[in-house]
């Protein structure tokens, strides 16, 4: 065995010519610093950008805004750039209080983003190393544990979820604090643990915090009950102080988040949403062959269930082998059993909706747990557990004699070889039996392709490297283990999607032609908003478009699009049932009756017509391709949808639909009518018949009650105890050019949900999504075309603030209906320039007293100053008036007229209104964010308590030392 002093002699590092003394500690420190940089070298060389997926569309823009606000000396509390305005800090996902994100105040967006991402992996690997060393691992073992957690499947596949990996990276640091407190209660670790808890919460992913609580809670209970503790009472008290301290430090984030959560759709989620992205049992094979089901952009497309990113937990073959070694080690330590149990529990929970006996439905009933979707994200805990077990396995080999090391190695190697051989056989001969909806690509069964060859190569390298290490356990062999594992995880990770994001972030953020065109027309970018619309916006990331949703922030344009899971529901409903990622679901939004965009001050529309759906995206049924995005057109009594697309050649219209509350409808009954107008003036009519074209979504829940047949099934999902379905229908006609399509629901009961709609041209074989944008000339004026992007001006847009001459109080449902239809309940037109709508519910049963409102003739309104959290408006009004602002109503916005505070009313469903006396006045609106201020007081109290505890303990300790002396 080559010892340290022998190694020093060989390298001659202690000679007078050498000034650097070789130190294992120094060597490990160097590796911890360079490995993340080495792994992400393509980003450092400018080859790729670390903004995969949501990193570009969701995370980058809000972090640019945070940096600008901090550089200007403002607290990042309000974001006026997305969803027509919403809380920024309270949203938590942007990570406004997370210190690494403040780099955006100092560096360019591209440099800041790369530093934030790469240092996240530094935090993960260093924390894992320190935790491994604290529980007794060798340096090689701790390095391996850190490499597995940092570069394993979970952390790499979620690289684009910037806040998710940032929060996840703090798990080992919190465990490190618990372990130190378990060994000896010291205030430094109470304070450190509290700080780590706060940093994880500030990073911006509550789901990772909740999973950390599960792991840390189990670790605490295990340490308290199954391990020797100097003083259990002190350990419990110290852990409680750390946890409470962490929560108190986080209150400046948690209180605003709770306030926003109650007003968002994430306050509660459906079981279908909760159970989405569960880990399919068949895809456990990806723990052996990471690309068993494809998913690498350099080769085969993904043919498994869900996505490769959400179901990836690959930890490397060496990790599995070393974990088995830890299990076969003589005198196994309790820690091995704990982390084995933690890994297995995490893997079971990851199965989610695939769990038997309805267990996932029971989990859905658990408070807090039922707020998080994607059970496969439990692979986060699995990867960390596997890394710890691997580190313990290496440490056992290093500290055992050769015979004991080989005794543990042999059965572990046999198990790994059997697992890899079985997976290889399944990959080569039985893969076709694992197909669900997406066909297996041709050639995907070849063991000579990288998907099959790489695992076999690394099996040989892994077994040989661990065998040699078990025999010699030298420093060099430890380095070989690290190198093989790093190469294995690198071979996997460098074939993942982050490697294909080839662009310069700073150049891509430069204004495209559409934005330049608007900026040339508009001297004041705060005087209007924009909306972007495309049938599939995330596929066409061309510079012709705005690259919405959140990229518009960096370009200085305020938008009603956005990407945030905690968006406010009211403005989103006004903007066409806007989804959390900024897509319009209600096609009536662009019609002449809908007042939503007018009220939201939307002056410009960026529109991109659809392209034929190629083989790289979408789903295919009966030869017709549909977009992945669901349309969610809900047709109820009286619903009429009408679209006027550019002429398109087609021979059929295909729909994916489902019915609700339709069990009583007889077979072959018409539920909807479709009218297609052709370029030559003909009208083609088709009826949608229940039983033939569509059926009840819950048909299998009680088939005996159904009075109609089950139509042709297109899609199926588990609805908790029964299979739910969506149905395929096709309406054929002679090939012609379609210039108009209309949908009418013809029943007074039940409802029809249209999920997908495509034209099909039998002559060309092309599928084209139904274009839902109909630019009414009386409302939309086309200004310019840039490539495939079109720019329209809204001719009926309302300004940022205006006086109205009448107030109308109506129930909430009638208010939003008036905005969508342009009609009040009595049938008169709703003109937002003259009428403002207040809600009956806002008066809470009190007597309704409306402020005096006079004639608006001669009224003047001018926005003299506009900032994210402060707006100043100069008004002049001969009579008392009511001012409507196209700004989102939210608790914390205060109004001051000439220095006197006045109430802010909610008007027009989601906007602000203020009563203004006659004459000339200065109205100032300021966002105070009371929940943030209250939380800041709690945080200050928490910091003071922690510091006071440390100071008192330090003084007591000094007095004891003096007494002993």
């Amino acid at each position: 065995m080559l010892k340290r002093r022998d190694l020093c002699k060989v390298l001659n590092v202690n000679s007078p010519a050498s000034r650097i003394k070789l130190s294992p500690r120094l060597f490990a420190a160097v590796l911890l610093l360079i490995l993340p940089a080495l792994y992400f070298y393509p980003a450092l060389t400018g080859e790729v950008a670390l903004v995969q997926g949501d990193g570009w569309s969701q995370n980058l823009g809000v972090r640019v805004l945070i940096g600008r606000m901090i550089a200007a000396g403002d607290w990042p509390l309000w974001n006026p750039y997305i969803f027509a305005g919403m809380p920024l800090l309270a949203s938590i996902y942007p990570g406004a209080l997370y210190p690494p994100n403040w780099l955006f105040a100092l560096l360019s967006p591209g440099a800041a983003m790369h530093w934030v991402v790469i240092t996240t992996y530094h935090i993960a690997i260093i924390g894992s190393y320190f935790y491994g060393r604290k529980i007794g691992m060798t340096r090689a073992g701790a390095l391996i544990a850190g490499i597995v957690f940092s570069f394993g499947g979970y952390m790499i596949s979620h690289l684009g979820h910037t806040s998710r990996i940032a929060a996840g990276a703090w798990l080992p640091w919190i465990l490190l604090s618990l372990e130190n407190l378990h060994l000896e209660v010291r205030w430094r670790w109470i304070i450190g643990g509290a700080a780590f808890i706060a940093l994880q919460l500030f990073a911006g992913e509550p789901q990772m915090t909740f999973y950390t609580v599960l792991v840390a809670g189990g670790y605490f209970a295990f340490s308290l009950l199954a391990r020797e503790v100097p003083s259990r009472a002190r350990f419990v008290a110290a852990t409680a102080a750390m946890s409470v301290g962490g929560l108190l430090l986080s209150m400046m984030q948690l209180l605003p988040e709770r306030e926003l959560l109650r007003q968002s759709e994430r306050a509660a989620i459906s079981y279908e949403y909760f159970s989405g992205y569960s880990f399919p049992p068949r895809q456990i094979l990806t723990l052996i062959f990471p690309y068993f089901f494809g998913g690498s952009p350099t080769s085969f497309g993904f043919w498994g269930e869900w996505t490769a990113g959400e179901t990836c937990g690959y930890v490397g073959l060496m990790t599995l082998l070393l974990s088995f070694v830890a299990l076969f080690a003589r005198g196994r330590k309790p820690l091995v059993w704990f982390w084995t149990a933690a890994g297995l529990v995490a893997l079971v929970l990851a199965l989610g909706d695939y769990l038997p006996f309805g267990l996932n439905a029971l989990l859905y009933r658990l408070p807090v747990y039922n707020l998080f979707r994607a059970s496969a994200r439990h692979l986060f805990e699995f990867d960390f557990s596997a890394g710890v077990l691997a580190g313990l396995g290496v440490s056992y080999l290093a500290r055992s004699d050769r015979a004991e090391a080989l005794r543990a190695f042999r059965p572990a190697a046999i198990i790994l070889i059997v697992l890899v051989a079985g997976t290889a056989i399944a990959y080569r001969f039985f893969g076709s039996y694992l197909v669900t909806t997406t066909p297996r690509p041709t050639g995907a069964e070849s063991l000579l392709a990288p998907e099959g060859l790489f695992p076999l190569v690394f099996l040989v390298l892994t077994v040989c490297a661990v065998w040699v290490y078990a025999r010699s356990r030298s420093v060099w062999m430890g380095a070989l283990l690290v190198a093989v594992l790093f190469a294995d995880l690198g071979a996997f990770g460098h074939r993942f999607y982050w490697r294909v994001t080839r662009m310069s972030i700073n150049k891509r953020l430069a204004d495209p032609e559409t934005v330049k065109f608007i900026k040339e027309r508009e001297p004041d970018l705060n005087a209007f908003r924009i909306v972007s619309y495309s049938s599939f916006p995330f596929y066409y990331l061309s510079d012709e478009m705005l690259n919405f949703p959140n990229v518009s922030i960096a370009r200085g344009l305020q938008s009603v699009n956005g990407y945030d899971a905690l968006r406010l529901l009211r403005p989103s409903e006004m903007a066409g049932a806007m989804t959390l990622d900024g897509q319009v679901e209600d096609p009536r939004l662009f019609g002449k009756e809908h007042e939503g965009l007018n009220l939201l001050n939307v002056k410009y529309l960026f529109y991109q017509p659809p392209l034929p759906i190629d083989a790289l995206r979408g789903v295919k049924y009966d030869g017709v391709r549909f977009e992945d995005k669901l349309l969610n057109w809900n047709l109820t009594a009286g619903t009429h949808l009408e679209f006027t697309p550019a002429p398109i050649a087609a021979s059929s219209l295909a729909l994916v639909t489902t019915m609700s509350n339709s069990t009583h409808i007889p077979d072959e009954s018409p539920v909807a009518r479709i009218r297609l107008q052709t370029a030559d003036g003909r009208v083609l009519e088709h009826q949608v018949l229940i039983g033939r074209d569509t059926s009840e979504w819950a048909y299998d829940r009680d088939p005996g009650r159904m009075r109609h047949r089950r139509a042709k099934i297109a899609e199926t999902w588990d609805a908790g105890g029964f299979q739910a379905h969506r149905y395929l229908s096709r309406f054929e006609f002679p090939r012609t050019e379609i210039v108009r399509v209309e949908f009418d629901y013809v029943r007074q009961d039940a409802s029809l949900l249209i999920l997908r709609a495509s034209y099909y041209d039998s002559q060309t074989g092309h599928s084209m999504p139904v274009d839902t944008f109909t630019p009414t000339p009386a409302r939309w004026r086309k200004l310019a075309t840039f490539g495939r992007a079109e720019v329209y001006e809204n001719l009926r847009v309302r300004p940022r603030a205006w006086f109205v001459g009448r107030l109308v109080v109506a129930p909430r449902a009638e208010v939003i209906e008036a905005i969508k239809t342009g009609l009040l309940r009595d049938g008169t037109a709703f003109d937002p320039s003259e009428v403002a709508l207040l809600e009956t519910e806002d008066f809470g049963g009190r007597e309704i007293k409306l402020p005096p409102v006079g004639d608006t003739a001669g009224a003047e309104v001018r926005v003299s100053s506009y900032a994210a959290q402060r707006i100043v408006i100069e008004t002049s009004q001969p009579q008392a008036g009511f001012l409507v602002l196209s700004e989102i109503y939210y608790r914390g916005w205060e109004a001051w007229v000439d220095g006197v505070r006045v109430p802010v009313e909610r008007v027009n469903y989601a906007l602000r209104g203020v009563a203004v006396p006659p004459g000339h006045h200065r109205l100032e609106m300021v966002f105070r964010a009371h929940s943030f201020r209250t939380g800041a007081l709690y945080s200050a109290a928490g910091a003071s308590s922690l510091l006071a505890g440390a100071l008192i303990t330090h003084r007591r300790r000094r007095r004891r030392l003096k007494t002993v002396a």
Side-chain angles (χ1 to χ4, degrees):
M1 178 176 177
L2 185 61
K3 296 183 179 180
R4 175 184 168 188
R5 61 175 179 270
D6 300 322
L7 184 60
C8 293
K9 290 178 180 179
V10 172
L11 297 179
N12 200 28
V13 295
N14 290 324
S15 66
S18 174
R19 297 184 179 181
I20 301 177
K21 183 179 180 181
L22 183 63
S23 165
R25 180 181 297 177
L26 177 62
F27 183 64
V30 171
L31 281 180
L32 292 173
L33 290 176
I34 68 172
L35 283 179
L38 180 63
Y39 189 94
F40 293 110
Y41 76 87
L44 298 179
T45 60
E47 180 184 346
V48 302
L50 300 180
V51 286
Q52 169 196 352
D54 289 352
W56 172 259
S57 57
Q58 179 185 20
N59 296 298
L60 178 62
V62 290
R63 283 160 175 76
V64 170
L65 176 61
I66 290 168
R68 290 175 179 173
M69 297 181 75
I70 290 175
D74 295 329
W75 282 99
L77 303 177
W78 186 262
N79 180 359
Y81 290 97
I82 62 174
F83 296 119
M86 67 167 290
L88 178 59
L89 180 145
S91 175
I92 199 171
Y93 292 101
L97 297 179
Y98 190 53
N101 289 335
W102 301 345
L103 286 172
F104 282 89
L106 304 173
L107 305 175
S108 68
M113 193 68 176
H114 284 168
W115 275 106
V116 167
V117 172
I118 294 176
T119 54
T120 292
Y121 291 87
H122 279 104
I123 293 170
I125 193 172
I126 293 172
S128 300
Y129 177 85
F130 285 163
Y131 170 74
R133 293 291 289 160
K134 181 54 65 174
I135 63 174
M137 291 184 193
T138 62
R139 287 189 172 85
L143 272 172
I144 283 176
I147 290 171
V148 172
F149 178 57
S150 304
F151 308 117
Y154 186 87
M155 289 292 284
I156 294 302
S157 65
H158 289 272
L159 185 148
H161 303 118
T162 314
S163 58
R164 187 169 302 155
I165 60 173
W170 291 102
L171 167 64
W173 292 92
I174 295 172
L175 292 173
L176 174 64
S177 301
L178 274 175
E179 182 63 20
N180 275 284
L181 292 177
H182 159 256
L183 297 174
E184 181 184 7
V185 173
R186 299 290 297 272
W187 267 95
R188 69 178 65 176
W189 287 109
I190 293 176
I191 294 175
F196 300 147
I197 291 171
L199 285 168
Q200 186 179 58
L201 285 163
F202 291 160
E205 184 73 21
Q207 190 166 8
M208 294 300 94
T209 299
F210 184 74
Y211 289 175
T212 298
V213 169
L214 296 181
V215 176
Y219 192 77
F220 165 75
F222 160 75
S223 299
L224 182 67
L225 302 176
R227 303 170 72 189
E228 292 185 4
V229 184
S231 171
R232 282 182 165 77
R234 285 173 57 83
F235 178 48
V236 171
T239 303
M242 182 189 80
S243 303
V244 173
L247 288 175
L248 286 174
L249 292 177
S250 309
M251 280 298 175
M252 60 198 307
Q253 174 73 77
L254 293 178
L255 290 185
E257 178 195 359
R258 186 184 67 169
E259 181 181 29
L260 176 60
L261 180 65
R262 291 174 174 176
Q263 303 178 56
S264 75
E265 66 181 350
R266 295 307 294 270
I269 62 177
S270 66
Y271 178 79
E272 182 180 3
Y273 194 70
F274 167 79
S275 61
Y277 293 103
S278 296
F279 185 63
R282 65 175 64 84
Q283 284 170 218
I284 200 170
L285 295 172
T286 58
L287 299 180
I288 310 295
F289 279 35
Y291 292 109
F292 189 105
F293 293 90
S296 170
T298 60
S299 57
F300 304 114
F302 186 69
W303 54 277
E305 290 188 66
W306 304 112
T307 66
E310 287 285 9
T311 57
C312 183
Y314 184 67
V315 290
L317 296 181
M318 181 175 290
T319 303
L320 298 180
L321 176 55
L322 293 174
S323 298
F324 296 147
V325 167
L327 288 172
F328 286 108
R330 181 173 295 177
R332 289 176 288 267
K333 295 183 178 180
L335 278 172
V336 173
W337 294 119
F338 173 80
W339 285 113
T340 300
L344 291 176
V345 169
L347 194 58
V348 169
L349 291 176
L351 297 176
D353 208 37
Y354 299 97
L355 287 170
F357 314 118
L359 292 177
N360 202 52
L362 294 177
L363 292 173
Y364 177 65
R365 297 179 182 179
L366 296 177
V368 184
Y369 190 88
N370 59 10
L371 295 178
F372 303 112
R373 65 169 186 152
S375 301
R377 292 176 190 167
H378 279 290
L379 293 172
F380 164 67
E381 306 106 272
F382 172 81
D383 281 13
F384 184 80
S385 301
V388 174
L389 287 173
L392 293 172
V394 172
S395 302
Y396 176 78
L397 294 178
R399 291 168 177 152
S400 304
D401 59 38
R402 179 183 296 183
E404 287 186 357
L406 291 176
R407 187 196 63 80
F409 164 76
R410 292 188 189 101
I414 292 172
I415 292 176
L416 181 66
I417 292 171
V418 170
L419 288 175
V420 174
T423 305
I425 293 171
Y427 183 79
R428 178 65 181 86
F429 299 106
F430 301 103
S432 58
Y433 295 98
L434 301 176
V435 172
T436 53
T437 56
T438 304
R440 192 184 193 192
T442 304
E445 74 285 351
S446 174
L447 289 174
L448 296 179
E451 287 79 2
L453 182 61
F454 280 17
L456 299 179
V457 170
F458 280 107
L459 171 66
V460 175
L461 294 176
T462 292
V463 172
C464 290
V466 177
W467 177 75
V468 172
Y469 185 78
R471 290 175 58 85
S472 65
R473 291 152 302 178
S474 69
V475 174
W476 296 113
M477 291 305 100
L480 178 62
L481 289 183
V482 172
V484 171
L485 175 63
F486 189 72
D488 187 356
L489 294 177
F492 149 73
H494 277 244
R495 300 183 68 243
F496 213 77
Y497 287 96
W498 68 272
R499 283 300 308 268
V500 302
T501 314
R502 301 177 182 273
M503 67 179 185
S504 165
I505 293 176
N506 295 334
K507 290 182 179 178
R508 188 65 178 272
L509 286 178
D511 293 344
E513 293 302 315
T514 50
V515 177
K516 291 179 182 177
F517 175 75
I518 297 302
K519 289 184 176 180
E520 289 173 357
R521 288 175 56 93
E522 296 289 345
D524 183 4
L525 299 184
N526 297 317
F528 65 94
R529 295 191 180 94
I530 57 99
V531 62
S532 295
Y533 181 65
S534 172
S535 61
F536 200 76
F538 295 104
Y539 181 76
Y540 304 112
L541 289 179
S542 67
D543 287 331
E544 300 170 334
M545 280 291 285
L546 187 63
N547 299 116
F548 82 95
N550 287 1
V551 181
S552 61
I553 298 173
R555 292 168 177 158
L557 293 186
Q558 297 184 25
S559 174
V560 296
N561 302 105
Y563 194 159
D564 198 302
L566 296 186
R567 77 195 190 287
L568 295 168
L569 292 180
R570 285 173 173 255
S572 300
E573 190 172 0
M574 285 180 65
M578 186 79 68
T579 62
L580 63 87
D581 55 359
Q583 301 183 59
V584 175
E585 289 195 332
D586 187 351
R588 295 175 296 174
L589 177 69
F590 304 106
K592 58 186 178 181
E593 297 86 6
H594 206 296
E595 294 288 348
L597 295 181
N598 303 333
L599 286 166
L600 291 172
N601 187 224
V602 174
K603 187 175 182 180
Y604 296 103
L605 163 69
F606 295 82
Y607 171 65
Q608 191 173 44
L611 283 175
I613 310 172
D614 57 34
L616 296 179
R617 72 181 201 276
V619 293
K620 187 176 182 179
Y621 305 122
D622 197 21
V624 182
R625 287 194 173 274
F626 301 87
E627 294 283 17
D628 288 302
K629 184 189 76 171
L630 297 178
L631 298 172
N632 291 316
W633 299 343
N634 191 27
L635 278 61
T636 57
T639 301
H640 173 80
L641 299 180
E642 183 178 311
F643 310 123
T644 309
I648 177 172
S651 57
S652 64
L653 172 67
L655 304 175
V656 175
T657 65
T658 193
M659 295 286 296
S660 295
N661 302 315
S662 63
T663 59
H664 62 287
I665 302 179
D667 197 44
E668 299 277 336
S669 297
V671 294
R673 181 176 62 250
I674 303 173
R675 292 166 53 91
L676 302 171
Q677 185 173 331
T678 66
D680 57 10
R682 291 178 296 129
V683 175
L684 308 175
E685 290 201 14
H686 297 270
Q687 285 188 326
V688 179
L689 304 182
I690 194 168
R692 184 192 71 180
D693 304 312
T694 190
S695 298
E696 170 70 23
W697 74 276
Y699 196 99
D700 287 359
R701 181 165 54 188
D702 190 359
R705 292 182 55 206
M706 301 298 163
R707 296 189 59 195
H708 55 265
R709 294 171 293 160
R710 189 170 64 182
K712 185 175 183 179
I713 297 173
E715 300 169 351
T716 297
W717 72 96
D718 193 330
F722 65 93
Q723 296 291 302
H725 307 292
R726 298 171 183 147
Y727 306 94
L728 177 69
S729 57
R730 290 184 66 170
F731 304 95
E732 307 283 348
F733 45 83
R735 187 175 187 269
T736 185
E737 282 195 334
I738 304 298
V739 296
R740 187 185 190 89
V741 58
E742 299 177 43
F743 295 88
D744 287 285
Y745 190 74
V746 299
R747 293 190 63 89
Q748 296 300 310
D749 57 358
S751 63
L752 174 70
L753 186 64
I754 300 178
L755 285 309
R756 310 185 195 274
S758 288
Y759 300 107
Y760 180 72
D761 186 352
S762 57
Q763 181 172 311
T764 62
H766 288 164
S767 301
M768 177 73 76
V770 172
D771 189 359
T772 59
F773 176 60
T774 304
T776 307
R779 183 179 183 187
W780 299 103
R781 179 174 64 188
K782 188 174 182 179
L783 299 177
T785 301
F786 300 95
R788 294 196 58 256
E790 300 173 357
V791 180
Y792 290 82
E793 181 182 13
N794 183 6
L795 302 178
R796 291 166 47 191
V797 61
R798 299 305 307 150
R800 193 54 65 98
W802 70 97
F803 280 106
V804 294
R806 187 160 65 101
L807 299 177
V808 174
V809 181
R812 183 172 301 154
E814 292 182 15
V815 170
I816 186 59
E817 191 64 21
I819 292 172
K820 292 180 179 179
T821 63
L823 294 174
L824 298 174
R825 184 180 183 181
D826 59 7
T828 59
F830 167 50
D831 183 359
S833 65
E834 294 292 334
V835 178
L837 303 177
L838 289 83
E839 299 176 14
T840 307
E841 292 86 344
D842 283 345
F843 290 90
R846 296 178 284 108
E847 180 183 356
I848 298 177
K849 294 183 178 180
L850 300 179
V853 177
D855 188 3
T856 60
E860 296 180 1
V861 180
R862 182 177 69 89
V863 179
S864 59
S865 176
Y866 191 98
Q869 286 145 197
R870 182 175 176 272
I871 306 170
V872 178
I873 301 175
E874 307 290 339
T875 68
S876 178
Q877 167 80 342
Q879 304 179 40
F882 192 83
L883 185 70
V884 175
L885 292 87
S886 184
E887 298 288 343
I888 301 304
Y889 178 88
Y890 191 80
R891 183 178 179 270
W893 277 101
E894 298 177 354
W896 303 77
V897 175
D898 299 331
V900 178
R901 185 174 175 182
V902 297
V904 179
E905 306 292 345
R906 177 172 21 217
V907 298
N908 295 334
Y909 198 63
L911 304 183
R912 301 176 214 154
V914 176
V916 181
H920 299 277
H921 298 283
R922 183 177 187 269
L923 170 66
E924 184 176 3
M925 300 208 79
V926 182
F927 186 55
R928 300 290 187 186
H930 302 292
S931 57
F932 169 72
R933 294 187 172 199
T934 303
L937 293 176
Y938 280 110
S939 297
S944 301
S945 300
L946 290 170
L947 292 176
L951 181 61
I952 293 171
T953 304
H954 177 68
R955 288 181 175 177
R956 286 179 177 175
R957 189 175 179 219
R958 289 185 63 183
R959 285 197 295 267
R960 284 199 304 268
L961 290 175
K962 287 182 179 180
T963 302
V964 171

